[in-house]
Amino acid sequence: MALNKILVIIDPTNDAQPAFERGLDSARDTGAVLHLYTCANQDAGFSDEQEAKDKVQPILDALRERVTGENYEATTELEWGADWASQAVAAAQRYGASMIFKNSFDHSALDREKRQTSDWTLLRMSKCPVLMVKNFHDWEHRRVLAAINPASSESAHVKLDEKISALAQQLATTYGSDAHFVTAFQDLNHAPNAEQIAQRYSAKAEHVHLRKGKAAEVIRDVASELDVDLIIVGTVARDGIKGRVVGNTCERLLDQTHSDLLVLN
């Protein structure tokens, strides 16, 4: 997957823009073009569209100048609308984005339970991968952890695992990182084979981590032990109970790890 166009969601309610900083780093590494996008509304503290333009457009322009000042390309887009997550997904499709970058802030378990967060709405609806960026920090170890499900024979899961593996290896090459793979399983009598997984995904056997337990907990624990900078997960289900389970896994990883989270559909 070519990382040539990145839609970066700029949060008009915060001074810190970790997604932008990660996007600028990516432009330096890959030459990708950045599309700096904001959808403003009254919930963000603006009385009307004109006030949003007056206050937000200068912020977007200043960020664009930081990018162009380093001789990389950037464009800006400011929309007005109540459902910013849906509009961001539509903007990414219009722009032909290869990836979306968005700030991620921790939510309490109660907040997650009470309402669908905008994070999950974006992850569920996006047609391209979404990178959720925690408090910006340099990817010190440049270590990637890809969560896979090799036990599944369903074609959708097989294809998704192939996409995750390919992207993990691509990022490892692009950013000079190590690619690790993690699998959670439930039955000790049918535990996955690390050597087979390593061969299947062109990985080192010592970079394949197998653990018994729930997916979110296993991924979280391995990510912490390896001190990874990026976790890659996939989601197939979009609606109903299965979709909610997948959403819970993504949200728990966002709230319980310091790593950035890249979600593929």
Side-chain angles (χ1 to χ4, degrees), residues 11-146:
D11 183 352
T13 66
N14 281 279
D15 293 332
Q17 300 293 341
F20 168 79
E21 301 296 344
R22 183 69 70 218
L24 182 53
D25 261 6
S26 296
R28 293 171 183 141
D29 286 330
T30 68
V33 178
L34 305 185
H35 186 59
L36 310 179
Y37 173 86
T38 295
C39 181
N41 51 48
Q42 291 181 338
D43 290 341
F46 304 104
S47 58
D48 55 31
E49 185 174 0
Q50 188 58 51
E51 182 187 11
K53 288 180 179 179
D54 292 341
K55 293 183 176 179
V56 178
Q57 190 60 52
I59 296 173
L60 294 175
D61 291 341
L63 294 175
R64 178 182 59 195
E65 288 174 6
R66 281 188 57 191
V67 180
T68 57
E70 296 191 26
N71 296 317
Y72 300 109
E73 186 177 347
T75 55
T76 67
E77 182 178 356
L78 173 59
E79 284 193 299
W80 177 263
D83 187 359
W84 73 262
S86 297
Q87 289 183 238
V89 170
Q93 290 183 261
R94 286 196 308 273
Y95 178 64
S98 49
M99 197 173 291
I100 296 173
F101 285 17
K102 181 192 175 295
N103 301 342
S104 176
F105 300 102
D106 292 345
H107 295 75
S108 69
L110 181 59
D111 284 342
R112 296 289 192 189
E113 187 65 28
K114 284 193 303 184
R115 62 187 176 87
Q116 251 190 8
T117 67
S118 55
D119 286 351
W120 172 230
T121 302
L122 182 67
L123 298 179
R124 178 173 56 86
M125 296 177 63
S126 177
K127 302 297 184 184
C128 65
V130 179
L131 178 67
M132 307 297 294
V133 183
K134 305 298 285 278
N135 294 329
F136 179 74
H137 60 280
D138 289 335
W139 282 356
E140 179 181 0
H141 305 290
R142 293 183 174 266
R143 192 169 293 142
V144 176
L145 179 65

Side-chain angles (χ1 to χ4, degrees), residues 145-174:
L145 179 65
I148 54 175
N149 181 22
S152 177
S153 58
E154 294 182 17
S155 60
H157 284 104
V158 172
K159 291 179 181 178
L160 185 58
D161 276 356
E162 290 173 351
K163 286 174 60 178
I164 291 171
S165 172
L167 184 56
Q169 300 290 12
Q170 177 186 344
L171 290 173
T173 300
T174 300

Side-chain angles (χ1 to χ4, degrees), residues 150-224:
S152 177
S153 58
E154 294 182 17
S155 60
H157 284 104
V158 172
K159 291 179 181 178
L160 185 58
D161 276 356
E162 290 173 351
K163 286 174 60 178
I164 291 171
S165 172
L167 184 56
Q169 300 290 12
Q170 177 186 344
L171 290 173
T173 300
T174 300
Y175 295 108
S177 63
D178 286 331
H180 290 251
F181 296 84
V182 60
T183 294
F185 63 93
Q186 302 299 320
D187 188 353
L188 287 172
N189 294 319
H190 296 88
N193 184 292
E195 291 286 350
Q196 291 178 357
I197 293 173
Q199 184 176 8
R200 179 175 176 181
Y201 297 110
S202 301
K204 299 176 182 177
E206 60 268 28
H207 285 185
V208 177
H209 309 274
L210 311 176
R211 298 282 177 87
K212 183 177 184 297
K214 295 180 179 179
E217 295 172 1
V218 168
I219 298 167
R220 176 200 64 199
D221 291 347
V222 173
S224 176

